[in-house]
Amino acid sequence: MSDRVAGDRIELRGLRVVGRCGVLPEEIERGQPLEVDLDVVTDMAAAGVSDDLADTVDYGAICAAVERAITDGHVQLLEFLAGKLADAVLAVDGRISAVEVAVRKLRPPVPQHLATSGVRVTRLRP
């Protein structure tokens, strides 16, 4: 995450969800595997002392929100999807101060041998 966003982070890596993202006919009609990485900025001092789940952000709820956002219809651009995912994460818990979202197509529709195509965005709570 950018050096401008300081704080504790929950790191979530490799969340895979099938969604419809793209402009080609096959991307509109059929889902494709997408992979998401998240860095969620939140103060973890209380949880670090208490060892109590109530003192931290529920990453299961974050994953569920991201999955819902991906499967909620078709989007054309990964850039749009990344912003939508960031908004969904920030809505999960008011203690989240920022999030960095990386989202990748695991089967990008190009003739070259390309492992993934993706974008990364950082959003701060207003």
Short mmCIF file of all heavy atoms in Angstrom, two decimals, residues 87-123:
data_model
loop_
_atom_site.label_atom_id
_atom_site.label_comp_id
_atom_site.label_asym_id
_atom_site.label_seq_id
_atom_site.Cartn_x
_atom_site.Cartn_y
_atom_site.Cartn_z
N ASP A 87 -15.27 0.36 -2.29
CA ASP A 87 -16.45 0.91 -1.62
C ASP A 87 -17.13 -0.14 -0.76
O ASP A 87 -17.57 0.14 0.37
CB ASP A 87 -17.44 1.46 -2.64
CG ASP A 87 -16.95 2.70 -3.36
OD1 ASP A 87 -15.99 3.34 -2.87
OD2 ASP A 87 -17.53 3.03 -4.41
N ALA A 88 -17.22 -1.37 -1.26
CA ALA A 88 -17.86 -2.45 -0.51
C ALA A 88 -17.08 -2.76 0.77
O ALA A 88 -17.67 -2.98 1.83
CB ALA A 88 -17.97 -3.70 -1.38
N VAL A 89 -15.76 -2.75 0.69
CA VAL A 89 -14.94 -3.02 1.87
C VAL A 89 -15.10 -1.91 2.90
O VAL A 89 -15.29 -2.18 4.09
CB VAL A 89 -13.46 -3.21 1.49
CG1 VAL A 89 -12.58 -3.26 2.73
CG2 VAL A 89 -13.28 -4.48 0.66
N LEU A 90 -15.05 -0.66 2.46
CA LEU A 90 -15.19 0.47 3.40
C LEU A 90 -16.55 0.45 4.09
O LEU A 90 -16.68 0.90 5.23
CB LEU A 90 -14.96 1.79 2.67
CG LEU A 90 -13.52 2.07 2.25
CD1 LEU A 90 -13.47 3.30 1.36
CD2 LEU A 90 -12.61 2.23 3.45
N ALA A 91 -17.56 -0.09 3.42
CA ALA A 91 -18.91 -0.14 3.99
C ALA A 91 -19.07 -1.24 5.05
O ALA A 91 -20.03 -1.22 5.82
CB ALA A 91 -19.94 -0.35 2.88
N VAL A 92 -18.15 -2.18 5.11
CA VAL A 92 -18.26 -3.30 6.04
C VAL A 92 -18.17 -2.86 7.49
O VAL A 92 -18.91 -3.33 8.35
CB VAL A 92 -17.19 -4.38 5.74
CG1 VAL A 92 -17.09 -5.40 6.86
CG2 VAL A 92 -17.50 -5.07 4.42
N ASP A 93 -17.24 -1.94 7.78
CA ASP A 93 -16.97 -1.58 9.17
C ASP A 93 -16.40 -0.16 9.22
O ASP A 93 -15.45 0.15 8.49
CB ASP A 93 -15.97 -2.58 9.77
CG ASP A 93 -15.83 -2.49 11.27
OD1 ASP A 93 -15.61 -1.38 11.79
OD2 ASP A 93 -15.92 -3.55 11.94
N GLY A 94 -16.98 0.67 10.06
CA GLY A 94 -16.53 2.05 10.18
C GLY A 94 -15.11 2.20 10.70
O GLY A 94 -14.53 3.28 10.60
N ARG A 95 -14.54 1.14 11.24
CA ARG A 95 -13.16 1.20 11.74
C ARG A 95 -12.13 1.04 10.63
O ARG A 95 -10.94 1.24 10.86
CB ARG A 95 -12.94 0.11 12.80
CG ARG A 95 -13.81 0.33 14.04
CD ARG A 95 -13.67 -0.82 15.01
NE ARG A 95 -14.30 -2.02 14.43
CZ ARG A 95 -14.39 -3.19 15.06
NH1 ARG A 95 -13.89 -3.33 16.28
NH2 ARG A 95 -14.98 -4.22 14.47
N ILE A 96 -12.57 0.72 9.41
CA ILE A 96 -11.65 0.62 8.28
C ILE A 96 -11.38 2.03 7.78
O ILE A 96 -12.30 2.73 7.37
CB ILE A 96 -12.25 -0.26 7.16
CG1 ILE A 96 -12.48 -1.68 7.66
CG2 ILE A 96 -11.34 -0.25 5.93
CD1 ILE A 96 -13.26 -2.56 6.70
N SER A 97 -10.12 2.44 7.83
CA SER A 97 -9.79 3.81 7.42
C SER A 97 -9.35 3.90 5.96
O SER A 97 -9.44 4.97 5.35
CB SER A 97 -8.71 4.40 8.33
OG SER A 97 -7.54 3.61 8.30
N ALA A 98 -8.88 2.79 5.41
CA ALA A 98 -8.45 2.78 4.01
C ALA A 98 -8.38 1.34 3.53
O ALA A 98 -8.32 0.41 4.34
CB ALA A 98 -7.09 3.44 3.85
N VAL A 99 -8.39 1.18 2.21
CA VAL A 99 -8.24 -0.15 1.63
C VAL A 99 -7.50 -0.03 0.31
O VAL A 99 -7.68 0.93 -0.43
CB VAL A 99 -9.61 -0.85 1.43
CG1 VAL A 99 -10.50 -0.07 0.46
CG2 VAL A 99 -9.44 -2.29 0.99
N GLU A 100 -6.63 -0.99 0.07
CA GLU A 100 -6.02 -1.14 -1.25
C GLU A 100 -6.56 -2.43 -1.84
O GLU A 100 -6.53 -3.48 -1.19
CB GLU A 100 -4.50 -1.20 -1.15
CG GLU A 100 -3.84 -1.30 -2.52
CD GLU A 100 -2.34 -1.23 -2.44
OE1 GLU A 100 -1.81 -0.12 -2.26
OE2 GLU A 100 -1.71 -2.30 -2.55
N VAL A 101 -7.06 -2.33 -3.07
CA VAL A 101 -7.65 -3.47 -3.76
C VAL A 101 -6.85 -3.74 -5.02
O VAL A 101 -6.62 -2.84 -5.82
CB VAL A 101 -9.12 -3.16 -4.16
CG1 VAL A 101 -9.71 -4.30 -4.98
CG2 VAL A 101 -9.97 -2.87 -2.94
N ALA A 102 -6.43 -4.99 -5.19
CA ALA A 102 -5.86 -5.45 -6.46
C ALA A 102 -6.81 -6.50 -6.99
O ALA A 102 -7.17 -7.44 -6.28
CB ALA A 102 -4.47 -6.02 -6.25
N VAL A 103 -7.25 -6.33 -8.23
CA VAL A 103 -8.13 -7.32 -8.86
C VAL A 103 -7.55 -7.69 -10.21
O VAL A 103 -7.09 -6.83 -10.97
CB VAL A 103 -9.60 -6.80 -8.97
CG1 VAL A 103 -9.70 -5.55 -9.79
CG2 VAL A 103 -10.52 -7.88 -9.51
N ARG A 104 -7.53 -9.01 -10.47
CA ARG A 104 -6.90 -9.53 -11.68
C ARG A 104 -7.82 -10.50 -12.41
O ARG A 104 -8.50 -11.31 -11.78
CB ARG A 104 -5.62 -10.29 -11.31
CG ARG A 104 -4.51 -9.43 -10.77
CD ARG A 104 -3.31 -10.27 -10.35
NE ARG A 104 -3.60 -11.13 -9.20
CZ ARG A 104 -3.66 -10.70 -7.94
NH1 ARG A 104 -3.48 -9.43 -7.66
NH2 ARG A 104 -3.91 -11.55 -6.95
N LYS A 105 -7.77 -10.43 -13.74
CA LYS A 105 -8.36 -11.48 -14.57
C LYS A 105 -7.32 -12.59 -14.67
O LYS A 105 -6.17 -12.33 -15.02
CB LYS A 105 -8.68 -10.96 -15.97
CG LYS A 105 -9.81 -9.96 -16.02
CD LYS A 105 -10.07 -9.54 -17.45
CE LYS A 105 -11.20 -8.54 -17.52
NZ LYS A 105 -11.51 -8.17 -18.92
N LEU A 106 -7.73 -13.81 -14.38
CA LEU A 106 -6.80 -14.94 -14.43
C LEU A 106 -6.69 -15.54 -15.82
O LEU A 106 -5.77 -16.31 -16.09
CB LEU A 106 -7.21 -16.00 -13.41
CG LEU A 106 -7.20 -15.52 -11.96
CD1 LEU A 106 -7.65 -16.63 -11.03
CD2 LEU A 106 -5.83 -14.99 -11.57
N ARG A 107 -7.61 -15.18 -16.70
CA ARG A 107 -7.56 -15.61 -18.10
C ARG A 107 -7.81 -14.42 -19.00
O ARG A 107 -8.86 -14.30 -19.64
CB ARG A 107 -8.61 -16.69 -18.36
CG ARG A 107 -8.36 -17.98 -17.63
CD ARG A 107 -9.34 -19.05 -18.07
NE ARG A 107 -9.41 -20.08 -17.05
CZ ARG A 107 -10.51 -20.60 -16.57
NH1 ARG A 107 -11.69 -20.22 -17.02
NH2 ARG A 107 -10.47 -21.54 -15.64
N PRO A 108 -6.86 -13.47 -19.06
CA PRO A 108 -7.10 -12.27 -19.87
C PRO A 108 -7.27 -12.62 -21.36
O PRO A 108 -6.54 -13.47 -21.88
CB PRO A 108 -5.85 -11.42 -19.64
CG PRO A 108 -4.86 -12.29 -18.97
CD PRO A 108 -5.56 -13.48 -18.43
N PRO A 109 -8.22 -11.96 -22.01
CA PRO A 109 -8.55 -12.31 -23.41
C PRO A 109 -7.64 -11.59 -24.41
O PRO A 109 -8.07 -10.69 -25.13
CB PRO A 109 -10.00 -11.84 -23.53
CG PRO A 109 -10.07 -10.65 -22.63
CD PRO A 109 -9.16 -10.98 -21.47
N VAL A 110 -6.38 -11.98 -24.42
CA VAL A 110 -5.44 -11.43 -25.41
C VAL A 110 -4.74 -12.60 -26.09
O VAL A 110 -4.63 -13.68 -25.51
CB VAL A 110 -4.40 -10.48 -24.75
CG1 VAL A 110 -5.07 -9.25 -24.17
CG2 VAL A 110 -3.58 -11.20 -23.70
N PRO A 111 -4.27 -12.40 -27.33
CA PRO A 111 -3.63 -13.52 -28.03
C PRO A 111 -2.24 -13.87 -27.47
O PRO A 111 -1.76 -14.98 -27.69
CB PRO A 111 -3.54 -13.03 -29.48
CG PRO A 111 -3.62 -11.56 -29.40
CD PRO A 111 -4.43 -11.23 -28.17
N GLN A 112 -1.62 -12.97 -26.75
CA GLN A 112 -0.31 -13.23 -26.17
C GLN A 112 -0.45 -14.12 -24.93
O GLN A 112 -1.52 -14.21 -24.34
CB GLN A 112 0.40 -11.93 -25.79
CG GLN A 112 0.70 -11.02 -26.94
CD GLN A 112 -0.50 -10.23 -27.44
OE1 GLN A 112 -1.51 -10.12 -26.75
NE2 GLN A 112 -0.40 -9.72 -28.65
N HIS A 113 0.65 -14.73 -24.54
CA HIS A 113 0.65 -15.53 -23.32
C HIS A 113 0.83 -14.57 -22.13
O HIS A 113 1.94 -14.13 -21.82
CB HIS A 113 1.78 -16.57 -23.34
CG HIS A 113 1.78 -17.43 -22.12
ND1 HIS A 113 0.83 -18.38 -21.88
CD2 HIS A 113 2.61 -17.45 -21.06
CE1 HIS A 113 1.06 -18.96 -20.72
NE2 HIS A 113 2.15 -18.41 -20.21
N LEU A 114 -0.29 -14.21 -21.52
CA LEU A 114 -0.30 -13.26 -20.41
C LEU A 114 -0.94 -13.96 -19.22
O LEU A 114 -2.09 -14.40 -19.30
CB LEU A 114 -1.11 -12.01 -20.80
CG LEU A 114 -1.25 -10.90 -19.78
CD1 LEU A 114 0.12 -10.29 -19.46
CD2 LEU A 114 -2.20 -9.82 -20.29
N ALA A 115 -0.20 -14.07 -18.13
CA ALA A 115 -0.70 -14.80 -16.96
C ALA A 115 -1.92 -14.12 -16.34
O ALA A 115 -2.92 -14.78 -16.04
CB ALA A 115 0.40 -14.96 -15.92
N THR A 116 -1.85 -12.82 -16.12
CA THR A 116 -2.96 -12.07 -15.54
C THR A 116 -2.96 -10.65 -16.08
O THR A 116 -1.95 -10.16 -16.56
CB THR A 116 -2.88 -11.99 -13.99
OG1 THR A 116 -1.75 -11.19 -13.61
CG2 THR A 116 -2.78 -13.36 -13.35
N SER A 117 -4.11 -10.00 -15.98
CA SER A 117 -4.19 -8.56 -16.19
C SER A 117 -4.95 -8.01 -15.00
O SER A 117 -5.89 -8.64 -14.52
CB SER A 117 -4.90 -8.21 -17.50
OG SER A 117 -6.24 -8.66 -17.48
N GLY A 118 -4.53 -6.86 -14.50
CA GLY A 118 -5.19 -6.36 -13.31
C GLY A 118 -4.95 -4.91 -13.05
O GLY A 118 -4.18 -4.24 -13.77
N VAL A 119 -5.60 -4.43 -12.00
CA VAL A 119 -5.46 -3.05 -11.55
C VAL A 119 -5.37 -3.04 -10.03
O VAL A 119 -5.76 -3.99 -9.35
CB VAL A 119 -6.64 -2.16 -12.00
CG1 VAL A 119 -6.73 -2.11 -13.52
CG2 VAL A 119 -7.95 -2.61 -11.40
N ARG A 120 -4.85 -1.94 -9.51
CA ARG A 120 -4.74 -1.74 -8.06
C ARG A 120 -5.19 -0.33 -7.74
O ARG A 120 -4.74 0.63 -8.39
CB ARG A 120 -3.29 -1.95 -7.64
CG ARG A 120 -3.02 -1.82 -6.16
CD ARG A 120 -1.54 -2.09 -5.84
NE ARG A 120 -1.11 -3.39 -6.34
CZ ARG A 120 -1.14 -4.52 -5.66
NH1 ARG A 120 -1.60 -4.53 -4.43
NH2 ARG A 120 -0.72 -5.64 -6.20
N VAL A 121 -6.10 -0.20 -6.76
CA VAL A 121 -6.57 1.12 -6.34
C VAL A 121 -6.47 1.23 -4.83
O VAL A 121 -6.56 0.22 -4.12
CB VAL A 121 -8.01 1.43 -6.80
CG1 VAL A 121 -8.13 1.39 -8.31
CG2 VAL A 121 -9.01 0.50 -6.15
N THR A 122 -6.31 2.44 -4.35
CA THR A 122 -6.32 2.73 -2.92
C THR A 122 -7.43 3.74 -2.67
O THR A 122 -7.54 4.73 -3.38
CB THR A 122 -4.98 3.32 -2.45
OG1 THR A 122 -3.94 2.38 -2.75
CG2 THR A 122 -4.99 3.61 -0.96
N ARG A 123 -8.25 3.46 -1.68
CA ARG A 123 -9.33 4.38 -1.31
C ARG A 123 -9.28 4.64 0.20
O ARG A 123 -9.10 3.71 0.99
CB ARG A 123 -10.71 3.80 -1.67
CG ARG A 123 -10.92 3.58 -3.15
CD ARG A 123 -10.98 4.89 -3.92
NE ARG A 123 -11.27 4.68 -5.32
CZ ARG A 123 -10.35 4.60 -6.28
NH1 ARG A 123 -9.08 4.71 -5.97
NH2 ARG A 123 -10.70 4.42 -7.54
#
